[in-house]
Each structure stands twice: as structure tokens, then as C-alpha cells.
Amino acid sequence: MRWSFAAVIVLTVAAVVCPKASSIGANWGTQASHPLPPDIVVRMLRENGIQKVKLFDAEYDTLRALGKSGIEVMVGIPNEMLATLASSLKAAEKWVAKNVSTHINTDSVNIRELELVRLEFGFL
């Protein structure tokens, strides 16, 4: 099963199973074998009533596509960035300027939170 198709199934199930929730959110990772263009994913999110999204990285095109969508965004800070950002205020300020402030000010992305992301892959 392709990852993009799986994402569509998850979004559809979430919209059907949770119709009475005050808000529905989705996780959006960009590491996929067949990724959909960000503007199509944003359209799918809006059409399915998704009001919040958690990104596992600050991918430029993904954030730009979320601009003016009305969707609340949580941006993840990947593990490999943590040591650098924790040890250097200048590096942290630069990362926030590039990956948060630019998208809020230029693209009107509704970024509400930053989160430390821990990605782990396991096999059954």
C-alpha cells in the first residue's frame, strides 16, 4: 500500500469515526515513497474537516501550502537538530526565523506550537 493512499484512508476514517469532536487533527510526515503535492494534501485536510496538523519537520513547500488554510500547525523540531539548537542561541534564532517566522509573516501560516520530535522506526 502506498503511503499517500494510506494517508487518505486515515484521514477519511478520522472524519467518519469522530464527527462530534470539537476539532480533529492529523499528523503529516513528508518521508513517503509516493508523496502527494502539499497543496493537494492541504485541500484534502480542509475537505475532511481537519483543523489541526502536526508536521514532523519544517519542510518549506508543506508550510507554504498551509498558508491561509485556517489549519492550526504544530511544527516538529527533528532529533538531529536538538543538540545544535540547545547549544547555540544564534542557531536556534536562525532556525526559528527560517522555519517559523518567515511562514507566519510571509505565508500567513497559523503556527501555534513547536514540538521536539522523536522519530523511531521499528519492525514487527
Side-chain angles (χ1 to χ4, degrees):
M1 182 183 306
R2 294 186 341 202
W3 284 105
S4 56
F5 181 70
V8 173
I9 297 298
V10 169
L11 292 175
T12 303
V13 169
V16 172
V17 172
C18 306
K20 295 183 181 182
S22 62
S23 66
I24 299 173
N27 293 334
W28 182 356
T30 57
Q31 296 180 6
S33 59
H34 297 85
L36 292 171
D39 57 321
I40 291 174
V41 176
V42 170
R43 188 179 73 219
M44 288 174 26
L45 292 170
R46 293 183 75 206
E47 287 173 354
N48 285 286
I50 305 298
Q51 300 161 346
K52 298 179 181 187
V53 68
K54 176 180 173 183
L55 303 177
F56 290 99
D57 55 30
E59 204 276 324
Y60 179 85
D61 290 331
T62 300
L63 282 162
R64 193 172 53 91
L66 284 161
K68 299 180 185 172
S69 68
I71 297 172
E72 289 184 19
V73 179
M74 176 190 297
V75 178
I77 302 170
N79 286 347
E80 64 269 10
M81 295 296 303
L82 297 181
T84 302
L85 300 180
S87 63
S88 170
L89 178 60
K90 189 156 188 90
E93 289 172 340
K94 184 177 178 181
W95 189 91
V96 169
K98 176 184 176 190
N99 297 295
V100 178
S101 301
T102 295
H103 294 288
I104 290 172
N105 297 327
T106 304
D107 302 320
S108 298
V109 179
N110 188 9
I111 298 175
R112 295 298 195 160
E113 297 180 47
L114 296 177
E115 181 178 273
L116 306 177
V117 175
R118 181 176 174 92
L119 297 176
E120 293 184 30
F121 299 96
F123 299 96
L124 298 177

